[in-house]
Amino acid sequence: METTFEAVILANGTFPTHATPLHLLRQTQHVVCCDGAVTSFPAAEVVIGDGDSIPAAFRDRLIRIDEQDDNDLTKATRYCLQRGWHRIAYLGCTGKREDHTLGNISLLMCYFRDMQVDAVMFTDHGFFTPVFGHHTFTSRPGQQVSIFNFGCTKITSEGLKWNSYAYSQLWQGTLNEAVGNSFSFCADGYYLVFQTY
């Protein structure tokens, strides 16, 4: 798995504890926090949001964006793109509230598809990668893999325990497993892949 990113966006979900996202926080040059997330990572370069959950001590780094059509994660993504940072790691996007978790995971596909972000979302259990068309992933035997279809009419796979297809329900592509050091998909659209660490 490639772990070099131009920026990290830290949302105000559950702060990561796994070594991989923590390494990204320490090693990535630009860390952008969504509003209140800065209390968990005070070393952030900048804070993006409407300022509704940021302590006064961090207001000197706040870029206030009051519009409410988009959430702070999207505002932070736009900020990164304006600076030319397209390879972005997303952390702290899950946990605390299930509606925010589901919304943030689905936004990852929007950022990839509509904004051309080279994005990966890391959790304490694994990572989500949005993909279009044919793609090969590095893996390890026994690694757990889930596939979520975002409009494909065809998905086939190699290197997984169970063959993939164009799932019509979100749950149908979950709980698959890599059988070797790589697996690949042949697809005609967008899909999201989750791999455990």
Side-chain angles (χ1 to χ4, degrees):
M1 169 189 51
E2 174 82 35
T3 56
T4 302
F5 295 89
E6 295 168 299
V8 163
I9 295 177
L10 178 64
N12 201 16
T14 300
F15 189 79
T17 59
H18 189 275
T20 297
L22 290 176
H23 173 79
L24 289 170
L25 271 175
R26 289 190 304 268
Q27 299 300 318
T28 306
Q29 182 177 0
H30 305 288
V31 177
V32 177
C33 281
C34 297
D35 242 356
V38 71
T39 60
S40 299
F41 193 74
E45 177 177 322
V46 68
V47 184
I48 303 289
D50 58 14
D52 64 352
S53 58
I54 180 173
F58 301 105
R59 293 204 179 266
D60 61 330
R61 280 179 268 164
L62 174 65
I63 296 177
R64 188 180 184 103
I65 303 173
D66 289 321
E67 65 91 356
Q68 296 296 316
D69 291 335
D70 292 307
N71 68 0
D72 289 342
L73 197 67
T74 302
K75 295 171 187 176
T77 300
R78 286 201 183 105
Y79 173 87
C80 289
L81 292 176
Q82 288 166 358
R83 273 135 196 87
W85 308 331
H86 290 266
R87 182 146 175 78
I88 303 172
Y90 292 85
L91 312 180
C93 297
T94 61
K96 291 189 179 176
R97 281 184 50 178
E98 289 80 6
D99 54 341
H100 286 181
T101 294
L102 187 57
N104 288 340
I105 292 169
S106 67
L107 277 171
L108 189 67
M109 182 57 72
C110 294
Y111 302 153
F112 174 72
R113 183 188 59 215
D114 302 334
M115 301 166 79
Q116 291 72 56
V117 176
D118 187 3
V120 181
M121 183 178 287
F122 294 86
T123 75
D124 278 336
H125 305 283
F127 52 100
F128 290 94
T129 307
V131 189
F132 177 83
H134 308 329
H135 194 85
T136 298
F137 293 84
T138 58
S139 62
R140 56 178 168 71
Q143 182 180 41
Q144 299 297 289
V145 177
S146 292
I147 309 99
F148 302 94
N149 185 8
F150 278 76
C152 296
T153 60
K154 174 189 172 186
I155 304 176
T156 59
S157 61
E158 290 184 15
L160 294 176
K161 190 170 184 179
W162 294 282
N163 291 328
S164 300
Y165 59 94
Y167 310 108
S168 60
Q169 303 292 324
L170 285 177
W171 64 268
Q172 290 176 312
T174 61
L175 307 176
N176 212 324
E177 184 176 306
V179 296
N181 294 322
S182 68
F183 60 90
S184 60
F185 295 101
C186 181
D188 64 356
Y190 293 94
Y191 53 102
L192 188 64
V193 175
F194 180 80
Q195 296 171 260
T196 56
Y197 294 124

